[in-house]
Every structure is written in structure tokens, then in C-alpha cells.
Amino acid sequence: MSDFIKSVRFKILLAILSVIVGFMIMAVYTGGAAPLFTQAVSLVTVPVQRLSAGISRGAADFFSQFTDARALRAENELLREERNGFLRALADYERLRHENEQFRRIVGVLEERRDLVIEPAPVIAREPGSRFYSFTIGKGRIHGIKRLDPVMTAEGLVGYVIESGPNYARVATILDVAVNVGAYDSTTSAGINVYDSSTRDIGVISGTIELAAQGLCQINYLPRDSTIAVGDIIMTGGGSMFPKDILVGTVERVAPNAHGTSVAAVIRPAADIPVVKDVFVITRFEGQGER
């Protein structure tokens, strides 16, 4: 017996009994064993619960970043579409405003020139690499547009049709070296505009590579004693290909030709040919096609 009392097993059993007795005594003072057990268990479970809650919050925060990112992308896409819609509406407004301005101005021309029949057309393409700013319009034969029809804007002459398809046409401009337009100086030495080619200096409008790069052309073969001067207004002289008295542009500088037998003048076209967006094709005019 004394050996058992001295053994390790007895000591362990005694320690367990001491703990049990201690719990029983504490239960008496705390109102029962259940609260005491709960408190004992809480010593283990509360830290675990705290750790679990922390992990849950961390996971929620982590995944909420992706949710927020998706929502932000969707919102940005919506804003982008709204912005693009606004820009399209603004572009349409500017186009319509420009077209209305062109129509308003061309009405004034048509009131003075009732022999002109015109067809409005948008510029839909520029020919790549063209030195003379030739372009394609979005109307053609089904709209009454044919080869050699003159082309203008409300500001002045642009060129003529060199090819007419069913629903498109290609236009060569007066900046082109291959284009020749009879024209005259409508300004007298007194600075008065006289739209009468029979009494004014007559020449031929054509282009050069150097001038076309500046958006300019020239009038050649003016008489050597011509009184043409800077600021003079140049008009078409009429004929079978171009109607008479369509504004071409104004004189920027004057110089005799290399042989000194005639005078040439550099012209700035009234129409802004390199950037023109809408034009009017003259499908019929007095004297068209006559020889």
C-alpha cells in the first residue's frame, strides 16, 4: 500500500481528484457546474472564434476587392459609352450646323444664278498620296451626277467630276496640274468688281505641285500689260465645262512668266479645298456641253 501511495499513478490520480474537487467547490460558489464548464470551454473557443472571425473578415475584404473592381469596370464602361454617345451627337450637330450654313449660303448663290441645278454631296474619302487633294463624294449617276460636272462649295469653285459611279464620284480639284479653267480678273484698276469677262484680263486657272502643297493655284496667260493686282477677285470665264461667274479666289502675288510674254498670278481659292467636307455638284447650267 505504501508503495502505491508513493507511485506516480497515485500522484496523478490525486492531482485529478484535486482538480475535480476544486471544480466542485467553485461550482458551489458560482451557481452550478454548467457556467463553470462554459467558462472553461470559452478559454479555448473564444480565441478560436476571434481567429475565425478575423479570417472571415480578411477573406471578405479580399474578395470584395474583385467585386468592387468589376462594379468599377462596369461603371467606367457605362461612362465611356455615354461619353462616346455625347461625342457622336456633338459631331452630328457640328456636321448639320456646317451643312445648314452651306445650304444657307448656296441659296444666295442660286437666287442670283437660276440657271444652276445643283446636287449636294458629302466628301467620303480622300485619295491617299494625292498631291492635289482629289477626293470621292458619296453620290453618283443615280443622283444625276455625271463625268465633267463642275464641283463647288458655297464659297467657290473646287474642281470637276472625273469619274462617276452608281453611288459615288471622284473629283479632281483646281489645284491639279491637269485641270484647266478659263477665268478672268473681275476687279478694275479702281478696285471695283466688274463681272464681265469681255472687258477684263482673261487667263487659265491651273495648278502646280509646289502651289498645291500650300493649297494654292495660279492663273496663267494673262496679257503682258495686265493690270491684275494682289487682292483682285478671280471668276470663272464660262464655257461648255464651267458656268460663268463662279468665284475662284483672290490674287496673292503677281509675276511675269519666265519668257516675259505674259503674266501669271498666284490664287488662293475661296473654297478651302484641302479640308472641304461637303460640296455641291452642278449637274446643269446654261451653255453646258455646248461647243
Side-chain angles (χ1 to χ4, degrees):
M1 184 67 177
S2 60
D3 293 336
F4 174 72
I5 293 174
K6 295 179 180 179
S7 66
V8 175
R9 284 185 296 174
F10 176 78
K11 293 178 181 178
I12 294 174
L13 179 61
L14 182 62
I16 293 173
L17 289 174
S18 299
V19 170
I20 292 173
V21 171
F23 272 112
M24 292 175 67
I25 295 172
M26 289 179 65
V28 172
Y29 287 99
T30 57
L36 182 61
F37 179 76
T38 301
Q39 293 176 17
V41 171
S42 68
L43 293 176
V44 177
T45 59
V46 168
V48 173
Q49 290 173 344
R50 288 177 179 174
L51 178 61
S52 176
I55 293 174
S56 297
R57 285 195 299 271
D61 293 342
F62 177 76
F63 287 108
S64 68
Q65 295 178 8
F66 296 98
T67 304
D68 293 344
R70 284 194 297 268
L72 184 60
R73 281 197 298 271
E75 184 179 354
N76 287 340
E77 184 63 27
L78 180 61
L79 291 174
R80 188 179 298 109
E81 291 179 0
E82 290 178 352
R83 183 202 63 183
N84 292 339
F86 172 76
L87 292 177
R88 285 192 296 269
L90 182 61
D92 290 341
Y93 168 78
E94 287 297 326
R95 178 179 56 81
L96 291 174
R97 185 183 65 80
H98 177 74
E99 289 178 356
N100 288 338
E101 178 66 16
Q102 287 284 310
F103 276 110
R104 185 184 67 80
R105 298 181 66 175
I106 201 67
V107 164
V109 175
L110 295 179
E111 287 178 350
E112 298 178 0
R113 299 294 307 276
R114 297 190 179 275
D115 64 310
L116 302 182
V117 177
I118 66 168
E119 180 67 33
V123 175
I124 60 173
R126 292 278 179 181
E127 295 195 3
S130 173
R131 295 179 174 180
F132 307 112
Y133 300 100
S134 55
F135 55 84
T136 300
I137 58 176
K139 290 188 177 180
R141 288 195 303 269
I142 62 177
H143 305 93
I145 295 173
K146 55 193 178 299
R147 185 175 176 272
L148 301 184
D149 280 349
V151 178
M152 65 179 294
T153 66
E155 288 75 24
L157 187 66
V158 172
Y160 70 95
V161 174
I162 56 175
E163 177 188 346
S164 181
N167 60 352
Y168 75 92
R170 293 176 55 234
V171 176
T173 74
I174 57 175
L175 307 183
D176 198 317
V177 296
V179 174
N180 294 293
V181 183
Y184 71 97
D185 177 10
S186 70
T187 310
T188 67
S189 58
I192 301 173
N193 292 334
V194 179
Y195 299 152
D196 183 0
S197 58
S198 64
T199 62
R200 303 304 303 143
D201 295 337
I202 299 173
V204 176
I205 298 290
S206 63
T208 70
I209 294 176
E210 293 78 11
L211 290 176
Q214 307 169 58
L216 305 173
C217 57
Q218 62 185 1
I219 181 169
N220 298 309
Y221 310 119
L222 295 168
R224 185 169 53 183
D225 59 353
S226 172
T227 59
I228 192 169
V230 173
D232 282 4
I233 296 174
I234 306 301
M235 311 288 290
T236 56
S240 62
M241 188 168 173
F242 293 93
K244 187 179 179 181
D245 295 336
I246 299 297
L247 177 62
V248 177
T250 55
V251 176
E252 286 219 338
R253 58 181 183 271
V254 180
N257 68 4
H259 303 289
T261 57
S262 64
V263 173
V266 174
I267 308 299
R268 179 166 295 280
D272 195 356
I273 294 174
V275 298
V276 65
K277 296 179 180 178
D278 298 282
V279 297
F280 299 95
V281 181
I282 304 174
T283 58
R284 191 166 70 249
F285 62 91
E286 184 178 349
Q288 184 179 28
E290 295 179 0
R291 301 296 180 189

